[in-house]
Amino acid sequence: MDWADTEEQAAFRENVRSFIDGNLPQYYKDKRVWNNVTLEDDWQMDMVHGSDDAKAAAQEWSDRMSSRNWVAPHWPQEYGGAGLTTMEQFIFNMEMAEAEAPMVGGQGLSLMGPTVLIHGTDEQKERLLAPTLRGEMLWSQGFSEPGAGSDLASLQTRAVRDGDEYVINGQKMWTSTAHKSNWLFGMFRTDPDAPKHRGISFMVMPQTNNGISVRPIISMGFEHATNETFFEDVRVPANNVIGEVNRGWYVGMTLLDFERSNIAGAVETRRRLQSLIDYLHTDQGELRSQDRAARARTLIADRWIESEVLFNFSFRIISMQASGLVPNYEASTSKIFSSELSQRTANTGMKTFGLYANIWDRAHELTPLDARFTQLYVHSVVFTIFGGSNEIQRNIIATRGLALPRS
């Protein structure tokens, strides 16, 4: 690992930084002051359900990013991406996180697109990639089910072949972007008699298909961040299967962002801690924390050190990828540490403000630091569950990293 930028990397970092500073719409610059912590606060939400100002800013930012081919910086240039190197992707994502600039495109660019690039036919690449890049296809992920979360291979939503189509019946759970998407990718069981990791096919479909219905799930933080998705005799053309029929599990396991370092998590944690430190030096911060700030000093210092540890976990992963290695348990280690650090950071902020931390209303006159740590405390409960629960990640570390037996 080399912590210093090369001359070329330093020039690229400055290029990205200057571009963001000169092109990020004022709407997003103003939004940084509020420092939202919800799961819904993203470009896709602005594009689909935002106010007129939000939609205009989202489109403007997408157009400006497109001018540099930075909407999908990790895609090959022949498909409209920037073809950035692994380290350039790391620098790009770090600067975007530092500036609190929203990533454009969502799961279609980071997950579905790379999967089609690897497993899709030429016809599928032609049909799906360009509209995704333009933001015309906004994607949700249909993986988890009521009885298949961490044990995803147990999924039971059936897809039965009928001529040139498949007929799908069943239910998907925790589809986080279904209410702000118009296309869905997912895994469906096409051979119920095969072992559970086989007999699964990977398919894409418009969410406007007859028989697809989406119902909101409201979180404990009063947020519509995820959904139930139901399939009732939904017909999908057979040419919408990505990869081989009954080999969709292996296609789905490819569905990972090319840049998996989670550098944004380290940057975000440091930014939250700095906002807490700055606030505690104000008269209002001293009043809201009373005598707790001194007792919380050690906790804040611990969180800051841990954010540096997370940065180095991230840098280790990206350094491996830049050397042609494939991170495995290293990514699981980073995921565990990042999700649990977010929870500890929220807890530290809550302890610092005592009973004032019970105020949920961000605009209330007695609310400390616009309730960002109170709301983060509630929203962060799911961080150790989604994206592969931490229990699953520990199993990966044990078996693949420490070579422990499975039973």
Side-chain angles (χ1 to χ4, degrees):
M1 291 169 55
D2 185 352
W3 283 267
D5 286 344
T6 65
E7 185 176 337
E8 293 79 9
Q9 290 166 354
F12 178 72
R13 186 185 296 277
E14 182 57 35
N15 183 18
V16 175
R17 191 174 295 171
S18 298
F19 174 83
I20 295 172
D21 184 59
N23 289 277
L24 185 66
Q26 190 62 42
Y27 173 85
Y28 287 115
K29 292 180 179 179
D30 295 340
K31 202 173 184 180
R32 291 182 297 195
V33 177
W34 190 245
N35 196 4
N36 282 333
V37 296
T38 70
L39 300 175
E40 282 296 85
D41 184 39
D42 65 0
W43 174 88
Q44 192 164 325
M45 191 67 177
D46 290 337
M47 194 72 173
V48 178
H49 296 299
S51 63
D52 289 343
D53 287 344
K55 289 178 179 177
Q59 186 62 61
E60 179 184 357
W61 184 229
S62 177
D63 292 343
R64 292 181 179 182
M65 292 280 279
S66 296
S67 69
R68 293 287 188 96
N69 289 341
W70 282 351
V71 170
H74 52 298
W75 286 20
Q77 291 179 335
E78 60 263 37
Y79 293 105
L84 298 186
T85 67
T86 303
M87 287 306 300
E88 286 173 339
Q89 291 177 49
F90 181 80
I91 292 169
F92 177 83
N93 288 336
M94 184 175 180
E95 292 302 319
M96 289 284 284
E98 290 279 9
E100 299 181 63
M103 299 297 286
V104 172
Q107 295 184 95
L109 298 177
S110 63
L111 300 178
M112 197 285 301
T115 304
V116 173
L117 284 168
I118 294 172
H119 295 283
T121 64
D122 290 341
E123 184 275 332
Q124 289 170 338
K125 293 174 184 177
E126 180 72 21
R127 176 161 52 95
L128 301 173
L129 293 179
T132 297
L133 198 64
R134 294 192 298 267
E136 296 167 5
M137 288 182 172
L138 298 172
W139 295 83
S140 63
Q141 182 188 66
F143 276 16
S144 295
E145 298 180 4
S150 295
D151 183 18
L152 182 59
S154 296
L155 64 87
Q156 295 299 317
T157 299
R158 290 287 308 278
V160 179
R161 186 70 181 254
D162 182 20
D164 292 333
E165 297 178 315
Y166 284 91
V167 180
I168 300 177
N169 283 279
Q171 178 186 356
K172 294 294 180 178
M173 197 73 169
W174 315 121
T175 41
S176 299
T177 57
H179 59 301
K180 49 185 177 180
S181 304
N182 53 17
W183 277 72
L184 178 142
F185 60 84
M187 294 194 291
F188 304 90
R189 190 160 298 283
T190 44
D191 184 354
D193 299 321
K196 69 178 187 178
H197 286 88
R198 297 181 180 272
I200 294 173
S201 297
F202 189 101
M203 301 182 187
V204 300
M205 66 200 70
Q207 282 189 190
T208 53
N209 275 6
N210 290 333
I212 296 179
S213 58
V214 176
R215 299 180 191 174
I217 298 175
I218 306 302
S219 74
M220 62 189 293
F222 315 108
E223 181 183 33
H224 177 195
T226 189
N227 309 270
E228 300 174 284
T229 305
F230 296 88
F231 301 82
E232 300 178 61
D233 294 329
V234 177
R235 290 188 169 271
V236 177
N239 65 355
N240 278 15
V241 174
I242 308 296
E244 295 182 45
V245 174
N246 294 331
R247 300 283 288 176
W249 176 261
Y250 308 98
V251 176
M253 294 306 99
T254 303
L255 202 146
L256 295 171
D257 193 343
F258 280 12
E259 200 290 302
R260 299 180 296 173
S261 70
N262 191 32
I263 181 57
V267 172
E268 191 173 70
T269 297
R270 286 192 304 207
R271 193 167 58 238
R272 286 169 177 161
L273 290 170
Q274 189 62 58
S275 71
L276 177 58
I277 293 169
D278 293 343
Y279 182 74
L280 291 175
H281 282 89
T282 67
D283 291 340
Q284 189 180 77
E286 289 183 8
L287 178 64
R288 299 288 183 265
S289 63
Q290 297 178 0
D291 63 342
R292 296 182 186 85
R295 295 200 299 270
R297 181 177 300 174
T298 301
L299 294 175
I300 294 171
D302 285 344
R303 300 296 86 79
W304 193 280
I305 292 169
E306 289 165 351
S307 75
E308 293 298 315
V309 172
L310 178 58
F311 175 86
N312 281 279
F313 277 143
S314 300
F315 201 72
R316 179 191 185 193
I317 291 171
I318 210 69
S319 297
M320 291 177 65
Q321 291 178 319
S323 300
L325 301 174
V326 179
N328 193 290
Y329 68 89
E330 295 88 355
S332 294
T333 302
S334 179
K335 193 274 180 183
I336 290 174
F337 196 87
S338 176
S339 59
E340 294 182 356
L341 175 56
S342 292
Q343 294 175 344
R344 289 194 297 271
T345 300
N347 185 271
T348 295
M350 293 282 285
K351 286 184 176 180
T352 301
F353 297 120
L355 291 177
Y356 283 104
N358 289 326
I359 303 174
W360 182 265
D361 184 356
R362 306 193 73 178
H364 194 282
E365 60 180 355
L366 297 178
T367 302
L369 206 57
D370 58 55
R372 67 185 62 171
F373 285 95
T374 301
Q375 295 203 12
L376 176 64
Y377 184 81
V378 173
H379 294 308
S380 69
V381 170
V382 300
F383 290 1
T384 52
I385 301 172
F386 64 46
S389 70
N390 283 12
E391 290 77 12
I392 294 297
Q393 305 303 326
R394 287 186 169 89
N395 285 341
I396 292 172
I397 295 169
T399 57
R400 301 178 188 175
L402 302 175
L404 297 177
R406 290 184 176 274
S407 60

